[in-house]
Amino acid sequence: MIETIIEDYSLKNLNTFGIDVNAKYFTVAKDVETLKYIVESCKTDGIKTLILGGGSNILFTKDFDGMVIKPDIQDVRIIFEDAKYTYIKAGAGIEWDSFVEFCVNNNFYGAENLSYIPGTVGASPIQNIGAYGAEAKDIIHLVEYIDTEDNTEKEISNSKCNFGYRDSIFKNQLKNRAIVTNVIFKLSNTPNFKLNYGEIENLVEAQGEVSAKTIKEVITEVRKLKLPEPKEIGNGGSFFKNPVVDNQVAQKIQANHPDMPSYPAGIKTKIPAGWLIEKAGWKGKTVGNCGVHKNQALVLVNYGGATGNEILQLSKQIASDVYKMFGIEITPEINII
Ligand code: EPU
C-alpha cells in the first residue's frame, strides 16, 4: 500500500526533545513491502532518508532535507514455544513499554526490568536498550531488517549483532544501512528475576510479592520519579553514555572522591556520567531555554523553545568541564542529526 507523503512536515511532536524542525518529506510505512518501496523510490530519486522510531533518542539540530520514514509495523505474535522459552515476533513500530506489558501479562519473563523505557521495539536492538541490570540483548533472539544496500529482507541472529553497552552492529557496520522491521524475542517461561541493581530489590520486596508485575510497577515508579516526562519537559533520556575507563583511572578519581559510584565492566570500570556531571557543577543548571535536569544530571532538558544547537552546545560545555575536572571524555548516546 502506498502511504501518503507529506511535504514540510513538522517533527516537533515526533521527537521527545520537542525540537521544532521540519522534514522535507514525511511518511509512515505500515508493512515491510511499503518500507521497501519507499526506500527504493527515494534511492532512485536521490532523496536521503531517515528512519524515525519513537523519537526518544534523537536530537535534531536542523531541518531534515529528505524523507523521514516512520515504520509502523504493529503485529505481535508467538511463533514458537518449547518447554523453556516462548519466541515472540514483534513489529518495529510497537511501543516498547506495550511490548513489556504484553510479556508481563502473559507470564513471559525477561523483559520486566526494561519497563517504561521510551521508544519502539525497532530501536531496542540498535541501542541495546538497558536498565536495572538487564539489556535488550538478553532477550533478543533474531532481528529482521531491510538491507538498504540491495533492498532485500535479511535476518541476523543475536550472536552476530555484536551487542555491547548501548551498542550493536546497527550503530557500526550496518549504520545507515539496516532498517529494523521485526524483532524476535526469546522470553523465558519461568521467572529468573534480576533484582540486584541499586534499590530495586528492597522496593520490590516492600510490595509483599516478587513478581514480574511488581517489578514492572516498581521500575516504572522509580523512572517516573527520576526522569522527566517528555510530555511535560522535552528530553531524550540519558544524553551521555556512562564512560568505561581503565581501573587505574577509576581508582585515582576514587582516591579523591570516595563517594564515587562505579560498576565493573569486564576488565574495566564504568563510572556514572550523571555523577561526573553533578560533580562538575552542572546538575539543575539552566542555560537559556535548556538545562540539566535537577534529579538526574545525565538528562538534558528543553524547557520550551530550545533549538537542537542550543542543547548540543550545552552538552559540549558539560563534556568539556567533565574532561577538565576528571580527564574523562563523555560521549553522547543520543543520535545527533
Ligand atoms: N548519579 C549522581 N548524580 C546524578 C545521577 C546519577 O550522582 O545526577 C549517581 C547515582 O547516585 C548512582 C549512579 O550515578 O549511584 C547511577 O545512577 P542511576 O542508577 O540513576 O543510573 P545511570 O547510570 O545514571 C543508567 C542508564 C539509564 C537507566 C539507569 C537505570 C545509561 C547512559 N543510562 O543511568 O538509561 O535507566 O541506568 O538502570 O546507561 C536512558 O538510556 O535513557 C536511561 C535513562
Side-chain angles (χ1 to χ4, degrees), residues 56-57 117-118 127 129-133 165-166 197 199 223 226-227 236-242 259 261-263 270-278 283 293-299 333:
S56 56
N57 207 46
I117 294 182
Q127 276 273 94
I129 56 172
Y132 303 102
Y165 167 59
R166 295 293 198 276
Y197 186 97
E199 78 264 66
R223 288 188 72 98
K226 278 195 180 169
L227 301 167
S238 306
F239 194 94
F240 297 98
K241 286 195 239 187
N242 288 332
D259 63 325
S262 66
Y263 309 99
K270 192 189 277 181
I271 304 178
W275 183 86
L276 296 167
I277 296 167
E278 182 173 345
K283 191 170 183 171
H293 192 246
K294 61 179 185 346
N295 297 338
Q296 168 54 289
L298 198 50
V299 178
E333 78 145 352

Side-chain angles (χ1 to χ4, degrees), residues 10-240:
S10 169
L11 301 175
K12 189 163 185 234
N13 295 324
L14 293 178
N15 71 98
T16 59
F17 261 116
I19 305 293
D20 198 3
V21 287
N22 277 0
K24 189 164 184 198
Y25 306 108
F26 174 78
T27 192
V28 175
K30 292 206 178 289
D31 54 56
V32 176
E33 282 314 310
T34 309
L35 253 178
K36 280 167 67 179
Y37 175 77
I38 296 166
V39 168
E40 189 63 36
S41 311
C42 286
K43 211 175 191 178
T44 311
D45 297 342
I47 296 172
K48 61 177 181 172
T49 53
L50 174 75
I51 304 296
L52 190 63
S56 56
N57 207 46
I58 195 163
L59 179 69
F60 285 104
T61 58
K62 49 183 177 303
D63 288 338
F64 187 75
D65 185 26
M67 176 81 73
V68 170
I69 307 167
K70 199 165 162 52
D72 192 28
I73 302 164
Q74 291 284 344
D75 307 327
V76 57
R77 63 192 166 92
I78 296 167
I79 53 169
F80 183 69
E81 268 172 286
D82 60 23
K84 277 186 157 174
Y85 299 105
T86 300
Y87 295 77
I88 301 167
K89 178 167 171 167
I94 297 171
E95 282 293 326
W96 176 259
D97 201 45
S98 314
F99 174 70
V100 174
E101 194 174 0
F102 170 82
C103 295
V104 168
N105 288 345
N106 290 286
N107 301 326
F108 306 134
Y109 300 96
E112 55 280 353
N113 286 38
L114 303 174
S115 291
Y116 211 62
I117 294 182
T120 55
V121 162
S124 64
I126 297 176
Q127 276 273 94
N128 182 22
I129 56 172
Y132 303 102
E135 287 182 308
K137 77 168 171 54
D138 307 334
I139 52 169
I140 289 174
H141 177 61
L142 200 86
V143 180
E144 294 182 351
Y145 66 95
I146 296 170
D147 186 341
T148 56
E149 203 101 307
D150 55 8
N151 213 23
T152 56
E153 290 166 54
K154 292 189 177 151
E155 56 179 42
I156 181 166
S157 63
N158 178 311
S159 63
K160 300 232 167 79
C161 287
N162 299 343
F163 286 125
Y165 167 59
R166 295 293 198 276
D167 200 25
S168 74
I169 193 166
F170 303 104
K171 286 181 117 180
N172 297 287
Q173 292 94 318
L174 291 180
K175 192 178 162 116
N176 298 331
R177 182 168 159 183
I179 303 174
V180 175
T181 51
N182 290 285
V183 181
I184 292 151
F185 294 94
K186 180 181 172 183
L187 280 309
S188 176
N189 296 335
T190 47
N192 179 17
F193 298 132
K194 287 185 190 162
L195 291 171
N196 52 355
Y197 186 97
E199 78 264 66
I200 297 302
E201 183 156 25
N202 293 339
L203 290 171
V204 171
E205 276 167 5
Q207 301 289 310
E209 183 207 20
V210 179
S211 66
K213 197 163 170 281
T214 50
I215 294 173
K216 185 170 197 321
E217 282 166 9
V218 162
I219 289 179
T220 300
E221 269 320 297
V222 170
R223 288 188 72 98
K224 279 186 179 170
L225 275 178
K226 278 195 180 169
L227 301 167
E229 199 68 57
K231 281 184 203 110
E232 285 151 28
I233 309 175
N235 76 90
S238 306
F239 194 94
F240 297 98

Side-chain angles (χ1 to χ4, degrees), residues 236-262:
S238 306
F239 194 94
F240 297 98
K241 286 195 239 187
N242 288 332
V244 175
V245 302
D246 286 338
N247 297 338
Q248 302 94 294
V249 175
Q251 280 156 11
K252 228 172 130 187
I253 300 173
Q254 208 142 33
N256 294 324
H257 302 274
D259 63 325
M260 185 191 87
S262 66

